[in-house]
């Protein structure tokens, strides 16, 4: 099943035109780059960028069987990339924004398993920047992360990983976009190697468990993810969510769960450049392999 031309700019929009998709079947989303293809060359003048049409996500889809209060399990099966990515930087944007004098654009060829940055060969690490469901209330712009997912820019949301999202609306109304061919943790200049892609996922609805914010697992780690305008609050929320996972599954007290995280957990900056920052807490599966 292929979801192609249907896009949205805010999670929760276009619910009336959502395509119904079954559980346990591969669904492929053709995603556009975060600039919606507006940046066609390195000569592009960033002043002309139409900011109302950036961060398109492909969807939404109505996942059959998903009811408010359930958990939507999203297995990332495959990401097929286009052949060229785009990066840019802009004054006053990103960690070094105050030092940037003028904007610039860089086109990054994607070839033979690498992103080519001048003579540097960066191994491809395809990941999904924007991925989520309709939020509880009003639609939320795709550029904003939150408990519904959205622009989390977590490098671990990649083939082989499984994302768990709270379902706020019957059908979930899932959408995704903003794929990166590779990106460093933190996304410090506000772009990874932005690229169009074909993202293949599989949905499953988990009943009888409720989560407040996104969680993730891959072969090695379980993760809790949190976003907030205040980076310290995001750090607290991700850590607190993981603490609750460890208390529940290991039967530990808060002190013990906290010390365990302090001994072997990894606090990761997903992105620190959007108005809402995103962080995650990772714990090795050798310590706890249950995330729900
Ligand atoms: Ca992003
Ligand atoms: Ca991006």
């Amino acid at each position: 099943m292929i979801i192609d031309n249907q896009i949205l700019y805010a999670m929760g929009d276009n619910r009336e035109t959502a395509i119904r998709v079954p559980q346990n079947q591969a669904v492929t989303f053709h995603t556009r780059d975060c600039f919606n293809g507006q940046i066609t060359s390195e000569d592009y003048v960033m002043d002309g960028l139409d900011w109302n049409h950036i961060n398109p996500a492909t969807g939404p889809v109505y996942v059959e069987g998903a009811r408010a209060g359930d958990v939507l399990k999203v297995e990332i099966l495959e990401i097929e990339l286009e052949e060229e990515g785009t990066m840019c930087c802009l004054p006053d944007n990103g960690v070094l924004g105050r030092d940037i004098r003028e904007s610039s654009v860089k086109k990054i060829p994607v070839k033979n398993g690498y992103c080519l940055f001048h003579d540097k060969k960066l191994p491809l690490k395809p990941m999904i920047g924007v991925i989520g469901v309709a939020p509880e209330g009003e639609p939320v712009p795709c550029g904003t992360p939150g408990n519904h997912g959205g622009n989390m820019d977590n490098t671990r949301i990649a083939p082989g990983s499984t994302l768990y999202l709270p379902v706020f609306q019957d059908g979930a109304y899932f959408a995704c976009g903003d794929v990166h061919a590779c990106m460093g943790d933190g996304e410090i200049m506000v772009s990874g190697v932005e690229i169009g892609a074909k993202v293949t996922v599989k949905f499953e609805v988990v009943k009888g468990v409720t989560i407040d914010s996104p969680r993730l697992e891959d072969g090695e780690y379980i993760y809790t993810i949190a976003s907030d305008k205040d980076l310290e609050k995001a750090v607290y929320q991700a850590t607190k969510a993981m603490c609750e996972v460890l208390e529940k599954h290991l039967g530990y007290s808060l002190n013990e769960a906290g010390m365990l995280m302090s001994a072997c957990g990894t606090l990761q900056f997903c992105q620190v450049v959007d108005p809402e920052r995103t962080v995650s807490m990772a714990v090795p599966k050798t310590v706890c392999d249950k995330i729900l």
Side-chain angles (χ1 to χ4, degrees):
M1 193 163 187
I2 294 168
I3 311 298
D4 200 342
N5 287 318
Q6 189 156 1
I7 59 165
L8 47 74
Y9 294 97
M11 291 284 177
D13 266 353
N14 301 351
R15 275 176 277 177
E16 58 292 343
T17 54
I19 296 164
R20 292 181 83 94
V21 298
Q23 295 180 48
N24 299 310
Q25 207 181 92
V27 182
T28 299
F29 294 76
H30 288 198
T31 62
R32 305 178 183 182
D33 76 19
C34 72
F35 308 111
N36 207 4
Q38 293 182 72
I39 301 180
T40 48
S41 79
E42 292 190 345
D43 299 327
Y44 185 84
V45 180
M46 290 300 289
D47 296 348
L49 196 69
D50 174 0
W51 289 94
N52 292 322
H53 293 94
I54 59 161
N55 276 318
T58 302
V61 295
Y62 181 105
V63 181
E64 286 173 358
R67 294 285 169 267
D70 294 341
V71 173
L72 183 66
K73 179 178 175 184
V74 187
E75 261 183 81
I76 318 296
L77 301 177
E78 194 184 358
I79 299 177
E80 190 185 322
L81 300 171
E82 290 179 357
E83 290 172 354
E84 185 182 69
T86 304
M87 300 193 79
C88 73
C89 56
L90 290 155
D92 301 322
N93 274 261
V95 175
L96 298 179
R98 72 192 74 170
D99 304 318
I100 301 173
R101 295 259 165 84
E102 56 187 23
S103 61
S104 63
V105 170
K106 196 165 196 55
K107 286 290 183 181
I108 309 279
V110 169
K111 250 188 205 159
N112 303 326
Y114 294 97
C115 288
L116 305 178
F117 192 104
H118 295 300
D119 62 340
K120 311 298 178 197
K121 291 168 77 178
L122 313 178
L124 292 184
K125 282 165 66 182
M127 55 153 288
I128 305 167
V130 170
I131 183 166
V133 294
E136 193 165 15
E138 291 297 301
V140 173
C142 289
T144 304
N147 290 342
H148 67 293
N151 194 13
M152 296 183 285
D153 283 317
N154 186 325
T155 56
R156 274 64 165 181
I157 303 178
S161 74
T162 300
L163 179 66
Y164 299 89
L165 294 162
V167 177
F168 298 105
Q169 316 264 352
D170 291 354
Y173 297 101
F174 172 92
C176 65
D178 187 30
V179 166
H180 305 138
C182 66
M183 189 193 98
D185 283 343
E187 202 191 23
I188 60 126
M189 292 296 250
V190 198
S191 65
V193 178
E194 309 290 336
I195 196 162
K198 291 176 188 167
V199 174
T200 302
V201 305
K202 194 171 77 176
F203 300 108
E204 193 184 316
V205 176
V206 184
K207 305 276 182 189
V209 198
T210 299
I211 55 175
D212 298 328
S213 52
R215 297 184 187 176
L216 182 73
E217 70 175 311
D218 58 22
E220 285 180 271
Y221 293 94
I222 56 171
Y223 307 83
T224 47
I225 304 171
S227 304
D228 198 284
K229 283 191 174 65
D230 180 335
L231 191 56
E232 278 194 39
K233 281 189 188 157
V235 166
Y236 170 76
Q237 287 161 16
T239 306
K240 178 69 176 167
M242 182 59 82
C243 190
E244 287 169 3
V245 170
L246 299 177
E247 287 174 71
K248 174 178 170 181
H249 292 299
L250 303 182
Y252 284 6
S253 65
L254 180 142
N255 287 12
E256 287 174 317
M259 283 191 282
L260 182 62
M261 275 187 284
S262 202
C264 72
T266 299
L267 193 58
Q268 170 211 4
F269 292 132
C270 299
Q271 56 79 20
V272 295
V273 294
D274 294 328
E276 308 257 342
R277 276 71 161 125
T278 305
V279 302
S280 85
M281 170 57 83
V283 162
K285 279 187 156 173
T286 49
V287 165
C288 178
D289 62 0
K290 291 193 182 68
I291 184 64
L292 286 185

